[in-house]
Amino acid sequence: FRPWTLLDAGELYRYARDPLVGPIAGWPPHTDIEHSRQVIQTVLSVPETYAVILKESGLPIGSIGLLFGQNANAPLRENEAEIGYWLGVPYWGQGLMTEAVRALLQYCFETLRLDGLWCGWYDGNRRSKRVQEKCGFVYSHTEYDKPCVLMGDRRTEHYSYLSAAQYFKENV
């Protein structure tokens, strides 16, 4: 992965306009390339947010990033973060997001030296749940009737957690 740039707006729009992608992750489909450009300038330009790049083309096919402190949805403690991600539909089921999450885990635990990571999924997003399971996250808890501000609705969100100790136990 790498940081997003404004030159990625067309590729971002290609995948983020799909109604199968954003709503299940908690955000509305992009309406045009300008909308994607604005999202790059605001949401995707924050520190520790990256474009997931297809190795063969060098083009973005999704996004992955970390949320810290008040910006997170999960119940973070000191020295923890929350991982969020999405992937364009044509790349679902190929193990690409699992690969990206594993790379981010290595960075979080071995470089940033975080104590733990949270990750959530909304009801019905079994693909996201499966990525978390493959990467070693363990179910923690469920929060019901939670506001999803960008979609203007209320949802059930499930959370999983991976501690640094568990990561190193499985990756040494």
Side-chain angles (χ1 to χ4, degrees):
F1 38 86
R2 63 162 170 77
W4 286 92
T5 73
L6 288 176
L7 298 175
D8 297 323
E11 292 301 311
L12 173 58
Y13 177 62
R14 172 188 291 189
Y15 303 113
R17 70 182 176 195
D18 191 318
L20 294 175
V21 175
I24 195 77
W27 45 272
H30 291 199
T31 54
D32 54 33
I33 291 178
E34 184 54 36
H35 181 189
S36 293
R37 221 178 253 109
Q38 290 171 358
V39 169
I40 290 170
Q41 290 176 312
T42 56
V43 178
L44 300 178
S45 66
V46 299
E48 306 297 350
T49 299
Y50 305 99
V52 175
I53 303 303
L54 189 63
K55 291 175 186 174
E56 296 78 19
S57 68
L59 296 174
I61 57 170
S63 189
I64 192 167
L66 301 172
L67 299 169
F68 296 94
Q70 305 276 24
N71 294 321
N73 298 311
L76 302 185
R77 294 178 288 256
E78 185 81 20
N79 204 37
E80 293 182 341
E82 179 179 1
I83 292 181
Y85 52 81
W86 64 266
L87 189 65
V89 173
Y91 302 98
W92 289 4
Q94 300 177 35
L96 298 173
M97 190 50 72
T98 300
E99 179 184 345
V101 170
R102 285 181 177 148
L104 190 60
L105 293 178
Q106 182 178 7
Y107 171 69
C108 287
F109 290 123
E110 297 180 24
T111 302
L112 296 181
R113 307 306 255 169
L114 295 179
D115 294 331
L117 290 168
W118 291 88
C119 201
W121 75 92
Y122 290 120
D123 257 0
N125 194 346
R126 60 180 171 69
R127 287 181 175 86
S128 186
K129 176 186 178 189
R130 187 68 187 122
V131 167
Q132 292 168 45
E133 291 169 346
K134 288 181 189 177
C135 292
F137 284 84
V138 176
Y139 172 78
S140 169
H141 69 282
T142 297
E143 294 181 12
Y144 299 93
D145 198 36
K146 198 170 175 188
C148 182
V149 177
L150 294 176
M151 292 300 292
D153 60 17
R154 302 183 82 74
R155 299 180 177 199
T156 297
E157 187 167 10
H158 310 278
Y159 287 97
S160 60
Y161 183 77
L162 179 62
S163 68
Q166 188 63 35
Y167 170 82
F168 286 111
K169 180 180 174 186
E170 295 175 7
N171 294 283
V172 172

